């Protein structure tokens, strides 16, 4: 096969793997690795070394640099301070306990050198959001467990990578055969230049962003250029210090006040998807089946140690004297899949250690990839059943994800919150988000259909989507994105003004936007106008004598039913063309234009008085 054809094949396979992961809610890394193994040693159609030659090593190095930089952009120290005791302990004491156990297991099971064993232990402490988040959406544990696992994955990603880089640098400097003092000097030199250039690069790039020294369309290119420049420059001054430098640079930017990195983060996440998809297919294609098969029984024993010793010990250390129940602790101890950072770091470290002549460096990749495949596969297949068996799986989610944090969305969100339903508003407008937070509503600042949202949007307890944005296209894209998450019947969209003015050939299919909220005449513009003129959402209890027909008749056309609440607390939404049958005892929540209703009733009373011929009343 020609090189262009092979590259096109990699792109198609990568897209297919990512789609399968999205559809099945299983981490994409599993499909990517399996695809790479099949294309490489399986069918022999992909030979990365033959295709890329001497460019393969630099390509992998730069890709890992971008991945680590993107991961470190998510580590904000102020968020770290807000985390609970359990998460703090998991990423510190728990990670240390897991590292020690795995290092000892690798040393004794594989008769590996202590340096390689310690490095493998450091690499495998990382879980990461790219493997945790898909599992949480399938497992649906209670909010407390889900929050701990999600934040552990986010925080341990850059911290674990930084830890692994430091261990690797020490091994490289010590492997050059120098005296201990000289090795320590080289190690300190690597740490110094990594910290210095990483901090300097972060400061300069932060200054560029804060002072708006570049046009917006060049920011992503400038950021990528800085990553490459800092990485290669640091490596030139101190061999193997580049990964530390880009990690520090990302952390610097994430914690610098006065700059907005959301757009950069979104770009880096999109780029990371491309790099990860291609990178892991290439890395898996280089694996020799004999290498993994030759690991034999020891690798199975290592998986058992990870699952039943290292992780439980880590959770035990982290949850001592906390209010978590033993059932919640057991589920925390079961879920800890290894992911992208572990695979990327092990691959690049293995290549560099082999070039440096470090013994047993060839063990890094097959052991790490075996751990990744084993933990992801085992936990993807069993975690939901374990959560149900322990009684910590969430029941059918009843909360609402609301697209938009505008005045209309905030009004409806407050009504749902007052009914004890969880609501989460998403918006890319900081003004809207700020207003929602001032009103005590939970928010997510960002694009709800971005990769950033896929990683950080907390959907525990949420089972319905309300698209209340005035942007028709955003509502449609969000409906399509979350259709697999919630199901077609749980998607609701408020029509925009342009919808009502469109002819049939310009209308968006109901399959893409779900149910139309309230009725065909109600649009976002109309609803916003009514609310701005004093319309309110009011509750009315229905009885045998006063049903919905009487209520609507009394409303004189100034009442729009929105929701209906059953005596058992089940909420139903009114939709266009719906056939909701309300019964006595239900509570009707409607939008009432009080001022106009009062005018209508006054006119009716005046007409009645005039008809009765009572001059005084008239």
């Amino acid at each position: 096969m020609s090189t262009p054809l092979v590259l096109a094949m990699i792109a198609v396979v990568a897209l297919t793997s990512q789609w399968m992961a999205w559809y099945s809610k299983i981490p994409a890394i599993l499909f990517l690795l399996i695809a790479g193994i099949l294309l490489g040693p399986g069918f022999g159609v992909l030979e990365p070394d033959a295709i890329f030659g001497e460019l393969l090593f630099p390509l992998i190095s730069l890709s890992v640099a971008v991945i680590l930089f993107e991961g470190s952009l998510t580590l904000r120290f102020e968020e770290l301070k807000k985390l609970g005791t359990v998460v703090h302990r998991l990423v510190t004491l728990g990670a240390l306990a897991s590292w020690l156990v795995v290092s000892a297991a690798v040393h004794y099971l594989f008769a590996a050198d202590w340096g390689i064993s310690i490095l493998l232990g450091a690499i495998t402490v990382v879980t990461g959001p790219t493997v945790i988040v898909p599992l949480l959406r399938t497992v649906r544990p209670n909010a407390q467990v889900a929050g701990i696992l999600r934040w552990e994955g986010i925080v341990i990603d850059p911290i674990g990578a930084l830890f692994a880089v430091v261990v690797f640098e020490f091994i490289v400097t010590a492997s050059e055969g120098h005296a201990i003092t000289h090795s320590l000097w080289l190690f300190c030199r690597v740490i110094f230049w990594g910290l210095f250039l990483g901090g300097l690069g972060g400061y300069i790039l932060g200054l560029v962003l804060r002072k708006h020294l570049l046009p917006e369309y060049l920011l992503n290119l400038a950021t990528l250029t800085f990553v490459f420049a800092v990485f290669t420059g640091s490596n030139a001054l101190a061999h193997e210090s580049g990964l530390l430098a880009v990690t520090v640079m990302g952390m610097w930017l994430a914690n610098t006040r006065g700059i907005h990195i959301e757009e950069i983060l979104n770009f880096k996440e999109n780029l990371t998807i491309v790099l990860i998809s291609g990178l892991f297919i290439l890395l898996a294609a280089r694996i020799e089946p004999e290498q993994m098969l030759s690991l034999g029984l020891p690798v199975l024993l290592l998986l058992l140690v990870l699952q039943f010793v290292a992780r439980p010990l880590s959770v035990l250390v982290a949850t001592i004297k906390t209010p978590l129940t033993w059932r919640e602790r057991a589920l925390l101890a079961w879920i800890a899949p290894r992911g992208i950072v572990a695979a990327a770091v092990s691959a690049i470290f293995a290549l560099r250690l082999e070039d440096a002549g470090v013994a047993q460096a060839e063990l890094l990749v097959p052991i790490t990839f075996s751990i990744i495949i084993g933990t992801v596969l085992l936990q993807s297949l069993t975690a939901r059943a374990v959560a149900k068996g322990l009684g910590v799986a969430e029941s059918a989610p009843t909360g609402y994800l609301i697209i938009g944090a505008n005045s209309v969305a905030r009004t409806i969100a407050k009504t749902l919150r007052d009914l004890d339903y969880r609501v989460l508003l998403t918006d890319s407008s900081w003004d809207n988000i700020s207003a929602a937070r001032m009103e005590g509503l939970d928010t997510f600042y960002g694009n709800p259909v971005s990769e950033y949202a896929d990683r950080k949007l907390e959907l525990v307890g949420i089972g319905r989507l309300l698209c209340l944005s005035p942007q028709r296209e955003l509502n449609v894209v969000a409906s399509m994105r979350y259709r697999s998450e919630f199901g077609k019947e749980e998607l609701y969209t408020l029509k925009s003004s342009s919808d009502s003015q469109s002819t049939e050939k310009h209308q968006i299919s109901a399959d893409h936007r779900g149910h139309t909220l309230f009725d065909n005449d109600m649009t976002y513009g109309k609803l916003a106008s009514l609310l701005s003129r004093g319309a309110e959402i009011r509750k009315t209890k229905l009885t045998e004598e006063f049903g919905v027909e009487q209520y609507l008749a009394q409303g004189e056309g100034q009442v729009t039913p929105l929701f209906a609440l059953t005596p058992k607390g089940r909420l139903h939404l009114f939709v266009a063309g719906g056939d909701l049958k309300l019964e006595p005892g239900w509570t009707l929540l409607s939008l009432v234009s009080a001022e106009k209703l009062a005018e209508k009733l006054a006119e009716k009373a005046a007409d009645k008085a005039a008809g009765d011929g009572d001059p005084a009343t008239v």
Side-chain angles (χ1 to χ4, degrees), residues 529-560:
S529 177
L530 290 171
L531 290 171
S532 67
R533 288 182 290 174
E536 301 175 347
I537 297 178
R538 296 182 179 177
K539 297 180 183 178
T540 303
K541 188 73 170 288
L542 302 180
T543 64
E544 292 281 359
E545 298 76 22
F546 188 75
V548 65
E549 293 81 7
Q550 291 82 358
Y551 174 70
L552 294 177
Q554 190 183 74
E556 295 290 332
Q558 302 304 312
V559 172
T560 303

Side-chain angles (χ1 to χ4, degrees), residues 125-396:
V125 302
V126 180
T127 55
T130 53
V131 285
I132 285 291
V133 171
L135 274 184
L136 291 181
R137 291 179 178 173
T138 303
V139 177
R140 293 208 311 271
N142 64 38
Q144 190 167 19
V145 173
I148 290 171
L149 288 172
R150 188 173 67 89
W151 275 109
E152 180 199 7
I154 292 172
V155 175
I156 198 67
D157 203 353
I159 289 179
L162 182 60
F163 181 41
V165 168
V166 171
V167 174
F168 166 74
E169 308 297 1
F170 188 78
I171 292 175
V172 170
T173 54
S175 67
E176 295 181 358
H178 300 290
I180 294 179
T181 54
H182 187 60
S183 295
L184 286 174
W185 161 247
L186 292 176
F187 175 70
C188 292
R189 186 163 169 262
V190 165
I191 298 299
F192 170 77
W193 283 113
L195 293 176
F196 176 74
L197 288 181
L200 181 63
Y203 173 78
I204 295 175
L205 182 55
L207 190 65
V208 170
L209 295 174
R210 188 167 56 251
K211 298 292 185 179
H212 305 288
L213 300 178
L214 285 174
E216 189 171 336
Y217 72 93
L218 287 179
L219 292 182
N220 291 328
L221 176 60
T223 304
L224 192 61
T225 302
F226 265 82
V227 171
F228 290 162
V230 168
F231 174 73
T232 54
S234 185
N235 276 341
L237 291 170
H239 193 52
E240 309 301 349
S241 64
L243 294 179
L244 175 61
V246 295
T247 304
V248 171
M249 185 170 73
M251 293 168 64
W252 184 289
L253 287 174
N255 293 279
T256 301
R257 295 185 180 276
I259 64 173
H260 298 286
I261 62 171
E262 285 76 18
E263 184 178 346
I264 292 175
L265 189 57
N266 288 337
F267 167 71
K268 283 293 175 290
E269 286 171 345
N270 293 331
L271 180 61
T272 298
I273 291 178
V274 175
L275 294 177
I276 286 171
S277 300
L279 182 62
F280 291 120
I281 290 175
L282 293 175
L283 292 177
R286 297 183 75 252
I287 296 176
E288 296 294 335
E290 294 77 12
Q291 283 185 318
M292 298 187 73
L293 292 175
S294 65
L295 298 177
L297 182 60
V299 78
L300 296 177
L301 294 176
L302 180 60
L303 282 171
L304 292 177
V305 169
L306 275 167
Q307 192 71 41
F308 296 104
V309 181
R311 179 61 178 181
L313 179 61
S314 175
V315 171
L316 177 64
V317 170
T319 57
I320 292 175
K321 294 183 179 180
T322 63
L324 290 176
T325 66
W326 72 267
R327 297 175 185 274
E328 291 171 331
R329 298 181 192 194
L331 186 60
L332 285 174
W334 187 256
I335 300 178
R338 270 54 179 181
I340 282 168
V341 171
V345 171
S346 68
I348 189 66
F349 285 177
L351 288 172
R352 295 188 176 183
L353 290 175
E354 286 175 9
D355 287 345
V358 176
Q360 298 178 310
E362 69 279 358
L363 289 175
L364 280 178
V365 171
I367 291 178
T368 304
F369 279 41
S370 297
I371 289 172
I372 292 169
I373 294 173
T375 54
V376 171
L377 192 59
L378 174 65
Q379 293 166 33
S380 297
L381 296 176
T382 62
R384 177 62 180 170
V386 171
K388 283 185 174 181
L390 291 171
V392 292
E394 192 181 59
S395 56

Side-chain angles (χ1 to χ4, degrees), residues 40-94:
F43 299 112
V45 297
L46 179 59
E47 297 180 11
D49 294 276
I51 296 173
F52 295 99
E54 294 182 356
L55 289 177
L56 181 62
F57 182 78
L59 176 65
I60 294 175
S61 299
L62 292 174
S63 298
V64 173
V66 173
I67 292 170
L68 291 185
F69 173 73
E70 186 270 330
S72 62
L73 280 176
T74 64
L75 185 57
R76 301 177 187 268
F77 296 144
E78 58 183 21
E79 291 182 357
L80 194 59
K81 294 177 183 177
K82 299 176 184 177
L83 299 181
T85 303
V86 176
V87 178
H88 276 288
R89 291 179 182 174
L90 276 175
V91 300
T92 52
L93 297 176

